[in-house]
Amino acid sequence: SQQGEEDPQALSIQEGENATMNCSYKTSINNLQWYRQNSGRGLVHLILIRSNEREKHSGRLRVTLDTSKKSSSLLITASRAADTASYFCATVDILTGGGNKLTFGTGTQLKVEL
Amino acid sequence: DAGITQSPRHKVTETGTPVTLRCHQTENHRYMYWYRQDPGHGLRLIHYSYGVKDTDKGEVSDGYSVSRSKTEDFLLTLESATSSQTSVYFCAISEWGEGPNEQFFGPGTRLTVL
């Protein structure tokens, strides 16, 4: 079963604007991770946030986690055309996530136009 | 792609034939994973390995088997391919040090079953 649902499914913005993607999940988690996938490529890890953290930053990325609402958001500031990709959230379930098993959401397709 | 290769990168086969996909890593990571990616489903875990000869099932393991005889190699076998196994298959690796870690993904194998 799919753990995460991402919203929106697709997002189109202009270069320089901010992009926000949301992820909801269903179970109790150890941590939540965000990945990027360029067309035809493998996934690349962006950021990991643990269940006891509320916010994390990495460069132009800001991730928030609200465990009471079982949701996370990824903010990309000052977007660039090179940010065009699909973005996935993935969770490690606190009970079944042994072996660092990830359960992925369905992804958000971001298009950044010049 | 973090020292992970997958072979073949593309394969077309016929229903009922056996297929083996190979994942090779040079990172000496303990954990290895096989996912499939289908439109609308994100990535779903097929099988994973937590050491040589130590494997376990993921959420979509029916019709697939795996083997890991060496740290660096993780094989995924479709004993008798079906059209529903047409997908893009990704291998990933991970380590577990002091806490959770990200997964590193290979470039993927596109499999078409006619």
Side-chain angles (χ1 to χ4, degrees), chain A residues 1-2 35 37 45 99-100, chain B residues 33 37 41 59 94 101 103:
Chain A
S1 61
Q2 209 66 33
Y35 288 81
Q37 184 180 33
H45 180 263
N100 200 29
Chain B
Y33 313 83
Q37 184 175 30
H41 288 279
E59 68 172 295
S94 177
N101 290 304
Q103 292 187 10

Side-chain angles (χ1 to χ4, degrees), chain B residues 50-87:
Chain B
Y50 47 97
V52 173
K53 296 186 180 179
D54 292 324
T55 64
D56 205 351
K57 296 178 180 180
E59 68 172 295
V60 290
S61 59
D62 287 348
Y64 302 95
S65 62
V66 290
S67 65
R68 191 172 178 195
S69 59
K70 298 184 290 184
T71 298
E72 57 267 34
D73 289 327
F74 192 32
L75 303 180
L76 177 71
T77 297
L78 292 65
E79 301 288 349
S80 178
T82 68
S83 58
S84 64
Q85 294 175 311
T86 292
S87 188

Side-chain angles (χ1 to χ4, degrees), chain B residues 33-53:
Chain B
Y33 313 83
W34 277 108
Y35 294 90
R36 60 178 289 173
Q37 184 175 30
D38 305 289
H41 288 279
L43 275 79
R44 292 179 291 175
L45 182 65
I46 305 171
H47 283 281
Y48 73 102
S49 170
Y50 47 97
V52 173
K53 296 186 180 179

Side-chain angles (χ1 to χ4, degrees), chain A:
Chain A
S1 61
Q2 209 66 33
Q3 165 73 307
E5 295 295 329
E6 283 158 84
D7 169 55
Q9 291 188 342
L11 179 62
S12 182
I13 60 174
Q14 298 294 313
E15 198 170 50
E17 295 180 337
N18 296 341
T20 299
M21 288 159 267
N22 303 296
C23 167
S24 61
Y25 57 91
K26 300 174 184 174
T27 64
S28 296
I29 62 171
N30 175 285
N31 66 85
L32 183 144
Q33 304 178 28
W34 285 89
Y35 288 81
R36 184 188 75 226
Q37 184 180 33
N38 291 89
S39 182
R41 305 290 297 273
L43 279 73
V44 174
H45 180 263
L46 295 176
I47 197 164
L48 182 155
I49 186 166
R50 299 186 188 209
S51 60
N52 61 352
E53 298 175 314
R54 291 298 167 256
E55 187 171 313
K56 207 163 184 180
H57 297 255
S58 177
R60 294 184 296 113
L61 305 180
R62 172 179 169 251
V63 169
T64 60
L65 179 64
D66 187 335
T67 53
S68 67
K69 295 181 179 179
K70 291 185 167 57
S71 67
S72 174
S73 66
L74 171 67
L75 169 67
I76 304 173
T77 60
S79 62
R80 306 165 181 168
D83 294 328
T84 294
S86 292
Y87 292 82
F88 294 89
C89 69
T91 54
V92 176
D93 187 280
I94 200 167
L95 293 178
T96 63
N100 200 29
K101 295 195 301 290
L102 292 173
T103 302
F104 281 86
T106 51
T108 293
Q109 290 187 327
L110 173 66
K111 183 176 182 179
V112 182
E113 300 186 83
L114 296 170

